[in-house]
Amino acid sequence: MERIVFLCLVSTSLSAVPVQKFLFTPKWVPIGYKGRQIHGDLTAMDEIITANEVHATRFVDGTTSLREGDIAVTSGRRSKVCFARSCLWSKSVDGHVYIPYRVSSDYTETQVQLIKKAMENIEEDTCVRFVPRTHQQDFIDIQRKTGCWSYLGARGGRQTVSLQSPDCVQLGVISHEFMHALGFVHEQSRPDRDKYVTIMWPNIWRDRLRNFEKFRTEDLDLPYDYSSIMHFGMYSYSMEGEPTIIPKNSKNTKLGQTSYLSNLDKLKINRLYKCGW
């Protein structure tokens, strides 16, 4: 009888192995997230990836999909050239770039204050100013949809910035999505990125390789910014917790930001929008 019980236990344990392995595949919980936790270098993009891979899909709706993990792209619309003037927000005669916004009433007061703090994060030392929408036709509509994502640059009319609660209502995540709305892609998408980082293709989830494509964008005559709020973390989309991006200058270089814009992020905003300071 004891032998039968023992064999049943062994059989149960062995049959559970595939289940455990399945539960921790990238489709459910990003394995690379564990590696980042161990190394203590979580970035805003790491949080976005975790939220989107667990809760969101690659498709926002029937005509809109997510590129690079959090950039919403509508079929038939230009999506990869956002340093062109056509996708920038209008500049006022007083030298400021005013971005009207509306915040969903579904957020708590504390969450609304955090969203406003992220706006201040971008406004500091730049010419961008977020203003509550009154009558403006073009504005960002901040909604508690599924996942963290934004369209790239100004699209015209109402455009959604999705900040799922509570996963995406974090200072760095919100700031990151607002940067997309201003027209910025991820830093490692620069066409010259291979001079500065090595993409470890074998370590990346097979179905997320496209998230590491390069964009045909301008560098605004600014140096590569390892510490940009728009940079992927070292373990982004890692299959087994191994690095997916390695800096060429030093393995000790930290990639990305947790909460705040880098100095070069602010300079990029002022260069792109031709601010006077």
Side-chain angles (χ1 to χ4, degrees):
M1 182 65 183
E2 292 178 351
R3 179 176 295 181
I4 294 174
V5 172
F6 174 76
L7 289 174
C8 288
L9 289 173
V10 171
S11 176
T12 302
S13 299
L14 290 174
S15 64
V17 171
V19 176
Q20 291 171 350
K21 186 176 181 180
F22 174 75
L23 288 175
F24 288 97
T25 57
K27 184 176 180 181
W28 295 96
V29 179
I31 294 176
Y33 189 80
K34 295 180 181 179
R36 296 190 295 272
Q37 284 181 317
I38 293 172
H39 291 82
D41 53 1
L42 286 170
T43 67
M45 191 62 200
D46 293 331
E47 302 291 357
I48 291 168
I49 291 172
T50 303
N52 287 358
E53 292 298 329
V54 172
H55 301 293
T57 67
R58 285 194 237 177
F59 297 94
V60 175
D61 55 40
T63 60
T64 304
S65 60
L66 293 182
R67 302 281 180 85
E68 292 202 7
D70 70 330
I71 300 175
V73 178
T74 301
S75 300
R77 297 189 64 133
R78 183 170 58 179
S79 62
K80 287 197 172 184
V81 188
C82 208
F83 284 102
R85 300 294 131 188
S86 60
C87 74
L88 300 187
W89 295 85
S90 300
K91 190 174 180 181
S92 175
V93 292
D94 67 2
H96 288 97
V97 177
Y98 293 102
I99 301 180
Y101 70 89
R102 181 172 68 188
V103 180
S104 170
S105 59
D106 293 333
Y107 292 108
T108 67
E109 182 58 33
T110 300
Q111 290 174 330
V112 171
Q113 290 305 313
L114 192 57
I115 290 171
K116 290 182 178 179
K117 186 174 181 181
M119 292 177 179
E120 294 171 359
N121 195 8
I122 288 179
E123 291 176 342
E124 184 180 4
D125 298 324
T126 75
C127 63
V128 172
R129 296 293 181 269
F130 292 89
V131 295
R133 185 207 179 213
T134 53
H135 63 282
Q136 297 92 335
Q137 180 178 353
D138 301 338
F139 66 100
I140 58 173
D141 193 17
I142 304 165
Q143 295 286 331
R144 282 182 57 182
K145 292 186 176 292
T146 302
C148 330
W149 49 266
S150 171
Y151 290 93
L152 196 59
R155 303 174 76 244
R158 179 180 69 86
Q159 65 182 71
T160 301
V161 172
S162 174
L163 298 174
Q164 178 179 318
S165 174
D167 307 69
C168 306
V169 188
Q170 304 179 45
L171 183 58
V173 171
I174 304 168
S175 301
H176 181 106
E177 298 306 334
F178 285 164
M179 287 289 283
H180 280 318
L182 282 173
F184 293 97
V185 296
H186 297 119
E187 184 70 6
Q188 78 287 336
S189 297
R190 285 172 50 148
D192 62 347
R193 65 104 184 273
D194 292 330
K195 298 178 182 177
Y196 307 98
V197 297
T198 300
I199 305 301
M200 306 299 292
W201 299 103
N203 297 339
I204 302 169
W205 305 349
R206 297 284 78 80
D207 59 348
R208 295 297 186 269
L209 292 173
R210 289 195 62 186
N211 290 346
F212 291 78
E213 290 180 348
K214 289 183 278 191
F215 275 27
R216 213 177 280 174
T217 56
E218 299 176 15
D219 60 16
L220 300 172
D221 293 323
L222 291 173
Y224 189 89
D225 188 8
Y226 292 102
S227 60
S228 170
I229 191 77
M230 305 307 290
H231 207 299
F232 276 20
M234 187 175 288
Y235 300 89
S236 293
Y237 296 105
S238 173
M239 284 195 299
E240 301 292 344
E242 296 298 320
T244 54
I245 305 178
I246 296 180
K248 288 189 173 180
N249 64 342
S250 170
K251 290 185 178 180
N252 295 323
T253 299
K254 183 182 182 300
L255 300 180
Q257 289 281 345
T258 301
S259 301
Y260 296 95
L261 273 65
S262 70
N263 291 331
L264 279 174
D265 283 330
K266 294 177 182 294
L267 190 53
K268 279 183 284 188
I269 294 174
N270 289 333
R271 285 278 180 90
L272 183 61
Y273 282 92
K274 299 185 183 300
C275 299
W277 63 90

